[in-house]
C-alpha cells in the first residue's frame, strides 16, 4: 500500500515541469563558499508520522519533489519523534540522492550522551556522516559544541551550528555567535517575527555565519491566518502567487539569510516553496510594505 | 527549560491532528471486533454496580487491570510512542495502574463499590460518557467512525470509565487508584487542547470535577473531625 501511495504521489510529479523550473536561488555558506539552494526542507511535525505507511510514502514524495526541484538541505532533530526514521526511509527509497545536504541536531542536556545520540541519528538517516550538526535550542551547548568541533576537526562533520526558535534566548545566541567558531545559526524569522533583525542577522553577516530560517510560516499559523485575506495585487511585482511565496521572498530578500526551511506534507507546497526562490525578490521598500500589510491582517 | 513563560501549549505538540487520529483508525482496524467485547464488558460493570455492588470491585479490578495493560502495550508503546516519546513514559504508569487495580480487587479491605449519592451518580455519568459518548465523538467531529475511540481499546475512554467507576467506590484505596488516571486525563486533555480539539474539555472537566469532589470530601472529613 505504501509503495502504491508513493507511486501515485510520484506520478503527481511531472518530470518535465520539475526540470523546466528555474534552479532556486543559491546562497554561499560564508565559512566555505559552498553554494546552497536557498529553500530547504524542515521536518518539524510534518514528518512525524510514526509507522503509518501511507503517510511515510507521502513524506517520501515530498522529498522526491524537493530534490527534483533542486533542493538540498533537509533538517531534522531527535526531538521530532519519528521524523528522522521517516527521512531515512525516504532517502533509502530515493536511492540516497547525491544532492542531499543532511542537517541534524543534537538534543540532550548531557554532553556525555551527545555522541551516542548522534550515532543513533546517523543510523536512522542511513548516512555515513552529516553535513551539519547543530546544538538544538542551546541544550547543553558548551559540551556539545566541543564534541561537534572535534568531529569537524576529525573530518567526520562538515559544519557546526546552533539553533533557537521563536525568538528565545537571543542574548545567549548572540554571545555564542560572537565567541565561538560557528558555521551556521538557525533561528525563526518572518514578516511578523523580526527580532533577529536587531542583532543576530547583522552579527551573522559580520562573523560570516550562515543563517537557516526555521518556522517561516509560524508552523502554518501565519499562512492559515493570511489565507482568509486576498493576496495583494502588488505581490505580482515579484512573481509571488501565494502568501507562502510572499513570506519566503520577504525572508530570502534579507542578505544575511542563507536558507529558509519550510516544512510541509504536500508536494504542491514543496514546489511552491522552491519556486519562491526562483524569481525576483522584494527590494527594501517592498519588504517594508509586505511586513506592514501582513502585520495589519 | 529556560524562558519557560514564552512557550505556548502547541509548542509541545510534536505531531499533526491528522497523524494522531489516523493512529486510531489503524489501531481499530488491527483489533476489530474486540471492541464489541470491551464495550459489553464495560456495560456489564455498570449493571453489576447497580445490581450487585458487593462483588463489583472484584470484577471491576479483574476487568480493568488487563485492559490498562493491554492499552499500554498495544496503543501507547506500539503506536503512540512512535509520534510522541512521552507515551513511552506513560506506558509504565498504565502498567502500575493495572497492578493497583488488581491489588485493590483482590486484597482485603479494598474499595467498596455501589456508592450512588451525587458523587457516585457523577461517576456513573462519566462511565456512560466513556462507553457511549466517546466513540461517537469521532463522527461528531467529522472524523470517520473507523477512528472512534473505544473503551478498552483506546486510552482516553478507558481512563474516563475507570475514573467514573472509582467515583462509585469508597475507601482509602482511592488515594492510590485515582492519581494515574487523573494525570492521564490532564496530559491527554492538554494534548487535545493543543490540537484544537473540543473533546479536550471532556477530559479536563473530568479532571477538575474529580479534583473538586476529592477536595470537598477532604473538607467535609476535616470539619467532621473538628466537630468530633
Amino acid at each position: 500500500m505504501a509503495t502504491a501511495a508513493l507511486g501515485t504521489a510520484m506520478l503527481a510529479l511531472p518530470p518535465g515541469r520539475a526540470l523546466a523550473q528555474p534552479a532556486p536561488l543559491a546562497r554561499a555558506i560564508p565559512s566555505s563558499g559552498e553554494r546552497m539552494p536557498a529553500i530547504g526542507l524542515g521536518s518539524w511535525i510534518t514528518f512525524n508520522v510514526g509507522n503509518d505507511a501511507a503517510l511515510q510514502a507521502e513524506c517520501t514524495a515530498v522529498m522526491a519533489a524537493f530534490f527534483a526541484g533542486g533542493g538540498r538541505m533537509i533538517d531534522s532533530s531527535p526531538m521530532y519523534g519519528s521524523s528522522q526514521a521517516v527521512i531515512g526511509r525516504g532517502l533509502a527509497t530515493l536511492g540516497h540522492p547525491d544532492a542531499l545536504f543532511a542537517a541534524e541536531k543534537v538534543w540532550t542536556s548531557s554532553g556525555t550522551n551527545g555522541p551516542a545520540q548522534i550515532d543513533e541519528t546517523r543510523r536512522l538517516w542511513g548516512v555515513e556522516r552529516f553535513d551539519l550538526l547543530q546544538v538544538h535550542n542551546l541544550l547543553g551547548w558548551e559540551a556539545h559544541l566541543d564534541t561537534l568541533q572535534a568531529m569537524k576537526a576529525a573530518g567526520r562533520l562538515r559544519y557546526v551550528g546552533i539553533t533557537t526558535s521563536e525568538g528565545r534566548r537571543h542574548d545567549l545566541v548572540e554571545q555564542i555567535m560572537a565567541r565561538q567558531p560557528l558555521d551556521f545559526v538557525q533561528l525563526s524569522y518572518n514578516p511578523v517575527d523580526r527580532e533577529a533583525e536587531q542583532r543576530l542577522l547583522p552579527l551573522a553577516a559580520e562573523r560570516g555565519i550562515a543563517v537557516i530560517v526555521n518556522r517561516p510560516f509560524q508552523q502554518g499559523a501565519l499562512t492559515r491566518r493570511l489565507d482568509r485575506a486576498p493576496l495583494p495585487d502588488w505581490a505580482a511585482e515579484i512573481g509571488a502567487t501565494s502568501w507562502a511565496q510572499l513570506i519566503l521572498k520577504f525572508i530570502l530578500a534579507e542578505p544575511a539569510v542563507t536558507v529558509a526551511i519550510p516544512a510541509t506534507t504536500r508536494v504542491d507546497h514543496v514546489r511552491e516553496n522552491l519556486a519562491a526562490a526562483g524569481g525576483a525578490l522584494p527590494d527594501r521598500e517592498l519588504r517594508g510594505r509586505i511586513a506592514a500589510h501582513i502585520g495589519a491582517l | 527549560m529556560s524562558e519557560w513563560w514564552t512557550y505556548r501549549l502547541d509548542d509541545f505538540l510534536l505531531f499533526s491532528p491528522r497523524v494522531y487520529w489516523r493512529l486510531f483508525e489503524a489501531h481499530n482496524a488491527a483489533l476489530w471486533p474486540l471492541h464489541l467485547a470491551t464495550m459489553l464488558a464495560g456495560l456489564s460493570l455498570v449493571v453489576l454496580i447497580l445490581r450487585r455492588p458487593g462483588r463489583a470491585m472484584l470484577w471491576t479490578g479483574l476487568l480493568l487491570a488487563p485492559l490498562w495493560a493491554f492499552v499500554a502495550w498495544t496503543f501507547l508503546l506500539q503506536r503512540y510512542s512512535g509520534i510522541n516519546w512521552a507515551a513511552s513514559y506513560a506506558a509504565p504508569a498504565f502498567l502500575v495502574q493495572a497492578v493497583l487495580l488488581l491489588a485493590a480487587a483482590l486484597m482485603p479491605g479494598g474499595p467498596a463499590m455501589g456508592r450512588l449519592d451525587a458523587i457516585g451518580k457523577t461517576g456513573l455519568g462519566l462511565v456512560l460518557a466513556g462507553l457511549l459518548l466517546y466513540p461517537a465523538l469521532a463522527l461528531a467531529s467529522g472524523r470517520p467512525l473507523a477512528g472512534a475511540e473505544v473503551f478498552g481499546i483506546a486510552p482516553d475512554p478507558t481512563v474516563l470509565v475507570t475514573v467514573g467507576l472509582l467515583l462509585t467506590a469508597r475507601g482509602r484505596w482511592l488515594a492510590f487508584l485515582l492519581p494515574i488516571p487523573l494525570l492521564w486525563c490532564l496530559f491527554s486533555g492538554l494534548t487535545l487542547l493543543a490540537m484544537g480539539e473540543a473533546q479536550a474539555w471532556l477530559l479536563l472537566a473530568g479532571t477538575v470535577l474529580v479534583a473538586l469532589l476529592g477536595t470537598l470530601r477532604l473538607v467535609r472529613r476535616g470539619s467532621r473531625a473538628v466537630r468530633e
Side-chain angles (χ1 to χ4, degrees), chain A residues 76 92 184 199 220 249 290:
Chain A
S76 193
F184 278 86
R199 292 172 296 159
K249 282 176 178 291
I290 292 169

Side-chain angles (χ1 to χ4, degrees), chain A residues 4-275:
Chain A
L6 175 60
T8 308
M10 296 291 277
L11 284 175
L13 281 173
R17 180 179 163 181
L19 289 173
Q21 283 178 356
L25 168 76
R27 290 260 164 85
I29 299 169
S31 65
S32 68
E34 178 182 1
R35 294 193 70 77
M36 181 63 49
I39 295 294
L41 183 63
S43 59
W44 167 239
I45 292 184
T46 52
F47 274 35
N48 185 15
V49 298
N51 296 320
D52 193 317
L55 298 186
Q56 286 177 351
E58 282 186 17
C59 293
T60 302
V62 164
M63 292 167 67
F66 176 69
F67 288 121
R72 287 191 64 199
M73 180 186 286
I74 297 181
D75 178 84
S76 193
S77 166
M79 198 188 86
Y80 299 174
S82 59
S83 296
Q84 297 174 315
V86 170
I87 289 170
R89 204 172 298 229
L91 289 174
T93 304
L94 299 174
H96 289 275
D98 292 336
L100 172 69
F101 184 97
E104 256 293 349
K105 306 187 188 81
V106 56
W107 178 66
T108 168
S109 56
S110 158
T112 314
N113 293 342
Q117 187 182 71
I118 292 166
D119 273 349
E120 172 63 6
T121 298
R122 200 173 49 74
R123 187 188 67 77
L124 290 168
W125 277 62
V127 296
E128 283 188 24
R129 67 173 187 176
F130 288 108
D131 294 291
L132 165 64
L133 279 171
Q134 307 149 94
V135 181
H136 192 146
N137 285 349
L138 308 181
L139 190 63
W141 67 272
E142 286 168 298
H144 293 318
L145 277 185
D146 288 344
T147 300
L148 300 187
Q149 295 293 3
M151 286 177 69
K152 185 181 172 186
R156 293 191 289 126
L157 177 66
R158 298 176 64 213
Y159 300 106
V160 173
I162 57 172
T163 80
T164 182
S165 61
E166 308 205 3
R168 294 189 185 100
R169 304 181 79 182
H170 276 197
D171 287 344
L172 181 55
V173 172
E174 185 181 5
Q175 286 174 30
I176 298 170
M177 286 173 68
R179 293 172 192 168
Q180 298 284 333
L182 297 178
D183 299 299
F184 278 86
V185 63
Q186 184 177 142
L187 46 81
S188 301
Y189 178 58
N190 59 54
V192 291
D193 296 317
R194 301 179 65 185
E195 192 186 339
E197 288 177 355
Q198 302 300 313
R199 292 172 296 159
L200 299 190
L201 292 176
L203 183 59
E206 180 192 322
R207 296 269 295 158
I209 299 171
V211 174
I212 299 174
V213 170
N214 61 33
R215 309 198 184 184
F217 309 136
Q218 293 184 324
Q219 288 182 240
L222 182 57
T223 40
R224 278 194 297 275
R225 177 159 65 87
L226 295 174
D227 278 342
R228 292 195 287 263
L231 193 66
D233 292 341
W234 43 262
E237 291 174 22
I238 49 171
T241 59
S242 67
W243 283 111
Q245 287 192 338
L246 196 63
I247 291 167
L248 288 173
K249 282 176 178 291
F250 171 92
I251 293 167
L252 296 180
E254 161 58 53
V257 169
T258 313
V259 188
I261 50 168
T264 179
T265 56
R266 287 174 47 175
V267 165
D268 58 332
H269 283 175
V270 174
R271 290 192 187 128
E272 182 180 289
N273 294 342
L274 287 165

Side-chain angles (χ1 to χ4, degrees), chain B:
Chain B
M1 187 167 60
S2 61
E3 299 190 10
W4 55 267
W5 60 91
T6 65
Y7 285 84
R8 301 183 308 270
L9 194 55
D10 58 3
D11 286 327
F12 299 95
L13 191 65
L14 303 176
F15 46 83
S16 67
R18 179 187 180 214
V19 170
Y20 180 75
W21 296 123
R22 280 178 63 99
L23 284 184
F24 294 98
E25 291 178 37
H27 192 52
N28 288 338
L31 295 179
W32 178 260
L34 194 59
H35 308 62
L36 300 176
T38 58
M39 290 276 283
L40 191 64
L43 289 168
S44 303
L45 282 179
V46 176
V47 174
L48 194 64
I49 288 168
L50 293 173
R51 297 241 175 124
R52 302 276 301 274
R55 298 185 62 80
M57 189 59 221
L58 174 66
W59 288 106
T60 297
L62 289 178
L63 179 78
L64 287 183
L67 287 181
W68 273 74
F70 179 72
V71 168
W73 175 250
T74 60
F75 187 82
L76 296 182
L77 282 178
Q78 293 196 319
R79 295 194 188 276
Y80 196 17
S81 65
I83 62 166
N84 187 355
W85 45 263
S88 55
Y89 294 99
F94 268 54
L95 294 177
V96 169
Q97 181 71 16
V99 171
L100 287 172
L101 284 163
L102 208 54
L106 297 176
M107 287 177 67
M113 299 189 87
R115 172 186 194 145
L116 289 177
D117 59 2
I119 293 176
K121 284 176 182 168
T122 305
L124 280 180
L126 288 180
V127 172
L128 293 174
L131 286 172
L132 305 175
L133 176 65
Y134 229 89
L137 290 177
L139 287 178
S141 307
R143 300 190 303 273
L145 190 60
E149 295 167 90
V150 174
F151 166 72
I153 304 291
D156 288 357
T158 305
V159 171
L160 201 61
V161 167
T162 301
V163 170
L165 287 169
L166 292 175
L167 285 183
T168 70
R170 295 176 196 272
R172 289 178 185 167
W173 274 88
L174 295 183
F176 301 100
L177 292 171
L178 278 171
I180 290 174
L182 291 182
L183 282 173
W184 176 265
C185 285
L186 192 62
F187 168 75
S188 192
L190 291 174
T191 302
L192 291 165
L193 198 61
M195 287 163 55
E197 300 288 347
Q199 71 187 68
W201 295 109
L202 188 58
L203 292 174
L204 293 173
T207 312
V208 171
L209 186 68
V210 175
L212 282 176
L213 289 173
T215 309
L216 196 65
R217 204 165 150 185
L218 282 176
V219 169
R220 278 184 184 165
R221 192 181 293 169
S223 59
R224 205 159 44 219
V226 168
R227 280 201 300 275
E228 286 167 0

